Amino acid sequence: MASSTALSLSWSSSLCSSHSFNGVAFETLKVSPQRSSLEVLAQKKAKKLRKVILKEDVLDLGKQGQLLDVKAGFFRNFLLPTGKAQLITPILLKEMKMEDERIEAEKQRVKEEAQQLAIIFETVGAFKVKRKGGKGKQIFGSVTAQDLVDIIKAQLQRDIDKRLVSLPEIRETGEYIAELKLHPDVTARVRLNVFAN
């Protein structure tokens, strides 16, 4: 739509009036009620934006699932034909909200399960590890994360990934603390008693 400007002189007694043309409102400002006034009509071109959600990553625009305001022409000519975005509707917003709530509930369930498992590990007491003894307190070899995983499986019937286990270097008999990273927010501390047989 082209920008339109109209200038006119009028001898009116009103200070300000408004006109409408094809549904677009124009305001008129008059300088003086007694003198000739300059009437200016101007229409700005409206910026047309569309609210969309990205279905996949778009370079220099955003990531999948992101809500954006994009120009109508960009959406119509690029995003829609390539299937990279979809207009946001109230139904789509409701579905997204329900999906976010479901994901949040699942994260909370996993965290609570990890906390319960941590309580089980911490209340068991110390896990006993036997190694062949050497001179003094020395043992042959060392105690590894895999050893702890095997002991937990034997005693508690729980499978733990050895990459979740953090152990200090154990080359002597004594009591040690191992950490099991069960969840990003939950770490269980497990005691190990290493003794020579």
Side-chain angles (χ1 to χ4, degrees):
M1 187 187 282
S3 166
S4 65
T5 305
L7 297 175
S8 68
L9 295 173
S10 68
W11 295 93
S12 171
S13 63
S14 65
L15 287 175
C16 186
S17 64
S18 72
H19 303 280
S20 129
F21 179 70
N22 287 342
V24 177
F26 297 96
E27 285 194 13
T28 306
L29 179 62
K30 300 196 178 181
V31 177
S32 168
Q34 302 302 324
R35 297 185 193 170
S36 66
S37 63
L38 181 63
E39 188 175 309
V40 178
L41 299 175
Q43 179 182 357
K44 286 187 177 178
K45 190 172 183 177
K47 290 184 179 179
K48 294 182 181 163
L49 296 176
R50 299 284 182 257
K51 289 196 174 290
V52 299
I53 182 169
L54 295 179
K55 290 182 175 180
E56 58 185 73
D57 294 354
V58 178
L59 187 65
D60 296 332
L61 187 61
K63 301 271 184 201
Q64 180 180 0
Q66 191 174 358
L67 300 175
L68 298 170
D69 287 330
V70 297
K71 291 185 179 178
F74 182 62
F75 172 73
R76 182 179 59 248
N77 297 325
F78 176 69
L79 295 174
L80 184 62
T82 57
K84 294 181 185 266
Q86 174 179 350
L87 278 176
I88 294 179
T89 62
I91 294 170
L92 184 63
L93 281 174
K94 187 176 179 181
E95 288 174 358
M96 288 174 54
K97 184 178 178 186
M98 288 173 53
E99 182 67 16
D100 288 344
E101 289 172 355
R102 187 192 64 76
I103 290 171
E104 195 60 39
E106 178 65 18
K107 285 180 183 177
Q108 187 64 31
R109 186 192 64 76
V110 168
K111 183 177 178 180
E112 288 172 0
E113 192 175 284
Q115 288 171 336
Q116 290 174 355
L117 196 57
I119 290 170
I120 290 170
F121 286 140
E122 290 175 356
T123 56
V124 163
F127 291 101
K128 295 180 179 146
V129 181
K130 293 181 186 177
R131 285 289 181 264
K132 189 173 180 183
K135 239 193 260 179
K137 294 176 101 184
Q138 294 286 326
I139 57 172
F140 287 106
S142 64
V143 178
T144 64
Q146 185 62 50
D147 295 330
L148 180 57
V149 168
D150 293 340
I151 292 168
I152 290 172
K153 183 163 181 150
Q155 290 185 9
L156 300 177
Q157 289 76 39
R158 301 274 184 176
D159 286 325
I160 301 293
D161 188 354
K162 71 177 183 179
R163 292 174 290 192
L164 302 176
V165 178
S166 172
L167 274 176
E169 188 173 332
I170 301 175
R171 294 189 177 274
E172 295 181 344
T173 58
E175 186 168 302
Y176 298 91
I177 301 290
E179 291 186 346
L180 303 174
K181 188 85 170 164
L182 302 173
H183 185 271
D185 298 334
V186 180
T187 302
R189 296 172 60 86
V190 177
R191 289 186 303 138
L192 281 173
N193 276 333
V194 181
F195 58 95
N197 56 358

